[in-house]
Amino acid sequence: MTPQPQQTARFAPTDPRHSAPSYELRVRRLGAALSMYEIWQLPALSTPQIAAPTRVAGLKGRNLELVEHRVLRRLSQAGIKLTRPADEPMHGLALSEDLALHLGLTFRALAPMRSRERMRAVAAGIERMDREEAAYWLGMAMHRRRPRRVLAALRMLLTEPGA
């Protein structure tokens, strides 16, 4: 019997926590009562094509004020509290992939909208989406040649006809 050569691992085992995509929420104070929320994707082992932090989406002003209570509720359910003095700069807060997908899609879909009723309908529709559906729409909105068309189609699907 000839001895079998020992098989060596091609890759070192990685901790699953470090192999998932990494996202963070950045909150900037633009004034006394004005804030801007941004979702950023950070470099990770699972995304080797991302060498530097990449902005996924952002929302500010009147559109943020309309859905800020929804965003804060989702963040508090994830255990993230946004309580900092106004003069202290806000650093990035780590987000789970699921939360980042939903918030990023919400921010991208609502940014150009003006109708309050339709904005509420779109935000509620995105909240009801499964993780896979939100990932599909956000991927389409980020990586397609004409992302405005993708977001327009999403808005049409989530609002009632004639509204």
Side-chain angles (χ1 to χ4, degrees), residues 58-59 62-63 106-115 119 148 151-152 155:
L59 195 62
R62 172 178 105 46
N63 293 3
T106 301
F107 292 174
R108 277 190 176 243
L110 297 181
M113 295 182 73
R114 296 291 167 242
S115 170
M119 288 173 70
R148 286 181 171 187
L151 292 171
R155 288 184 209 108

Side-chain angles (χ1 to χ4, degrees), residues 2 10 12 34-35 39-40 51-52 57 65 79 86 90 112 116 136-137 139:
T2 62
R10 290 183 57 187
L34 187 62
S35 296
I39 306 294
W40 288 76
E65 290 174 6
M90 180 67 88
R116 290 182 178 271
Y136 168 80
W137 282 107

